[in-house]
Amino acid sequence: MKKFLTLLKIKGKLSLRCIDSIFFGVCMPVGIMILIGLISGQNPTTSDAGTTLIQSSFGALATVGICATAFMSIPLTIADYRDKKILKQFFVTPVSPTMLLWVHSVINMLLSVVSALLIYAVAKTFFSYEMIGSKLTFMGSYLLVMVSMYSLGLLIASLCQTVKTANVVCSIVYFPMLFLSGATIPFEIFPKPLQAVAGFLPLTQGIKLLKSTSLGLETSLLFPLIVLFGSLVIGIILSIRFFRWE
């Protein structure tokens, strides 16, 4: 219990960053879902026959929380811990720095899940959303996308030794992931050249996987799965290789 309380005190010092994560990871996608519902209602889309815009958008909006925590909260917080020698100080306390990192990751995972659940609750309650595909398959796909993006976030944290560097790198990674992957703007409306470039983003492939599973589409998911598992393995291996406690 004492260890947990100590960790909570440290988290309290980073409340402003938590507020940013809540706004961008929870409030923003919920607001976009409400806006889509008010504008389109149950009108069908032109790209996915027989589905509404809400059904088509759910899988993408569910990743906004993952994007915010993976590419902003996790790397910036860990870089801040390292910059302020917090991780080093924990070596002489009963609380290990590894536990600190695990707790921080779990808290961000919970925040991402809360974001997805709120989006689902709003869509279901106010706009009669129904998931066409398997909910179990979607949850498994969601977990894969989450751990894959988090491994890349940990890689950024491992490579960036200062908060200033982490801020720059996170901005370079976060905003293209947010706006070009299809998370907030429908991927289908992008020009073909931009789609070709954005297709290399790991989150783009994650959204394709979630969209296919939520809509029950019978399309090949081999490439998205290869990209996500590849990102997971590469992110973990390089994070372990380059991570420094101070």
Side-chain angles (χ1 to χ4, degrees):
M1 179 60 70
K2 291 182 179 180
K3 293 182 179 181
F4 185 70
L5 292 176
T6 304
L7 294 175
L8 287 180
K9 290 179 181 179
I10 294 175
K11 291 297 294 181
K13 297 178 182 179
L14 300 170
S15 58
L16 183 60
R17 189 164 295 142
C18 291
I19 292 174
D20 290 340
S21 297
I22 291 173
F23 176 78
F24 288 106
V26 179
C27 299
M28 186 173 71
V30 170
I32 294 175
M33 174 58 75
I34 294 173
L35 187 62
I36 291 174
L38 292 175
I39 293 175
S40 68
Q42 296 296 320
N43 295 330
T45 63
T46 56
S47 56
D48 300 303
T51 64
T52 65
L53 186 57
I54 291 178
Q55 289 174 320
S56 181
S57 302
F58 175 75
L61 289 175
T63 65
V64 175
I66 295 176
C67 186
T69 52
F71 302 116
M72 294 295 284
S73 179
I74 288 179
L76 289 178
T77 303
I78 294 177
D80 191 44
Y81 286 160
R82 184 188 294 116
D83 209 31
K84 293 179 179 178
K85 308 297 183 182
I86 293 176
L87 295 179
K88 181 181 179 180
Q89 293 171 9
F90 266 72
F91 277 109
V92 295
T93 67
V95 183
S96 71
T98 304
M99 180 183 292
L100 177 66
L101 298 181
W102 273 110
V103 170
H104 180 63
S105 298
V106 170
I107 289 174
N108 280 281
M109 284 183 175
L110 292 176
L111 183 62
S112 298
V113 172
V114 168
S115 173
L117 290 176
L118 282 176
I119 294 169
Y120 179 81
V122 168
K124 177 75 172 179
T125 303
F126 299 104
F127 306 109
S128 303
Y129 169 73
E130 291 292 341
M131 184 177 292
I132 301 173
S134 168
K135 291 183 176 64
L136 186 61
T137 303
F138 180 85
M139 288 188 288
S141 301
Y142 182 84
L143 180 61
L144 173 60
V145 174
M146 179 188 291
V147 295
S148 296
M149 297 305 107
Y150 277 23
S151 70
L152 297 178
L154 289 173
L155 176 58
I156 295 174
S158 300
L159 296 175
C160 299
Q161 300 302 312
T162 65
V163 177
K164 290 183 178 179
T165 304
N167 267 310
V168 174
V169 174
C170 286
S171 297
I172 293 174
V173 174
Y174 172 70
F175 289 107
M177 287 279 195
L178 183 66
F179 294 113
L180 299 181
S181 65
T184 53
I185 302 173
F187 186 80
E188 293 77 14
I189 71 173
F190 293 149
K192 292 297 182 182
L194 185 56
Q195 288 187 14
V197 174
F200 288 98
L201 297 175
L203 189 58
T204 301
Q205 301 305 320
I207 290 173
K208 287 183 178 180
L209 175 63
L210 292 177
K211 186 174 180 179
S212 294
T213 54
S214 65
L215 295 177
L217 300 178
E218 297 182 359
T219 56
S220 175
L221 299 175
L222 179 61
F223 184 67
L225 288 173
I226 290 175
V227 171
L228 292 172
F229 277 111
S231 299
L232 175 61
V233 173
I234 293 173
I236 291 176
I237 292 175
L238 294 182
S239 294
I240 295 173
R241 169 64 178 81
F242 293 107
F243 189 84
R244 297 291 182 270
W245 295 109
E246 56 179 306

